[in-house]
Amino acid sequence: MYLLFVVFAAAVPTALYTLLLWRLDRYEKEPLHLLAVSFLWGAAPALALAIAAELATGGWIESVFGPGTDTTLGAPVVEEVLKSLALIGIFLFARREFDGVLDGIIYGALVGLGFSMSENVLYFIAYQDQFVTTWWLRSGIFGFNHAFFSSIVGIGLGLVRYERRRITKVLTVALALVLAIGAHALHNP
């Protein structure tokens, strides 16, 4: 019963944030199937792969960089790279639907919202004795964090949509990924 409750508690704010985001894309709405792919990539595969990678590397990162650095260094790198895979996939394989910066923001935010929703379920289960505080912080105050982080990469991809020079494309997207990782790392001190 508690599992149903936490899924509901994570899904409702996410649905509201997603609706708000969808309404921002007024003039040329993105296809629902690509929006769904973006959201679902963040909600399931990206999170599952991130958990596996973080469990596999957490001890190593802490042994090299010190206690607590797995969440400060490891998690942002792993999570932002995995969330970015969906954006790069849409950019490469659905180019006609990835027109510019706004599209990058929309797709990036949806990947982040999916990731955040599923991650919140895990946090709500782990901290059920502090549910109200955890819900307020993760769904309310920091509800757009993962959407913001992923949107940075989406912005980078949107900026290079019509760029011809390959080196400019690669450097711009790499810089966007570094900025997303940095923003995430600043949030996870």
Side-chain angles (χ1 to χ4, degrees):
M1 191 65 170
Y2 184 72
L3 179 61
L4 234 68
F5 171 72
V6 298
V7 168
F8 182 78
V12 168
T14 302
L16 294 173
Y17 296 150
T18 302
L19 183 61
L20 174 68
L21 185 69
W22 185 72
R23 294 205 25 96
L24 288 174
D25 194 14
R26 296 176 127 165
Y27 302 109
E28 190 234 332
K29 296 235 184 256
E30 301 313 308
L32 288 176
H33 71 282
L34 290 178
L35 298 175
V37 164
S38 301
F39 183 84
L40 292 173
W41 173 261
L47 181 64
L49 291 168
I51 290 170
E54 289 168 22
L55 288 173
T57 61
W60 176 81
I61 291 171
E62 285 194 340
S63 71
V64 172
F65 298 104
T69 54
D70 59 329
T71 56
T72 305
L73 299 175
V77 171
V78 168
E79 292 174 10
E80 296 314 317
V81 167
L82 289 170
K83 290 187 295 178
S84 296
L85 293 177
L87 299 175
I88 292 167
I90 292 170
F91 183 81
L92 293 175
F93 300 112
R95 278 184 80 71
R96 299 182 86 205
E97 298 301 337
F98 204 122
D99 307 301
V101 172
L102 181 59
D103 291 351
I105 292 170
I106 299 294
Y107 291 127
L110 280 173
V111 170
L113 287 171
F115 189 93
S116 180
M117 180 190 71
S118 296
E119 188 179 56
N120 284 349
V121 168
L122 299 178
Y123 273 92
F124 297 161
I125 291 169
Y127 297 101
Q128 60 185 303
D129 57 327
Q130 300 170 335
F131 172 78
V132 173
T133 303
T134 306
W135 181 85
W136 178 245
L137 287 172
R138 293 204 52 91
S139 293
I141 294 174
F142 302 121
F144 274 107
N145 275 9
H146 279 287
F148 169 67
F149 306 147
S150 301
S151 291
I152 294 171
V153 177
I155 289 169
L157 289 164
L159 287 172
V160 300
R161 172 61 174 90
Y162 299 104
E163 177 62 47
R164 294 190 186 276
R165 293 169 293 188
R166 183 178 301 274
I167 189 70
T168 303
K169 288 181 179 186
V170 169
L171 290 175
T172 301
V173 174
L175 176 61
L177 181 58
V178 167
L179 290 173
I181 291 168
H184 193 157
L186 286 173
H187 174 72
N188 287 7

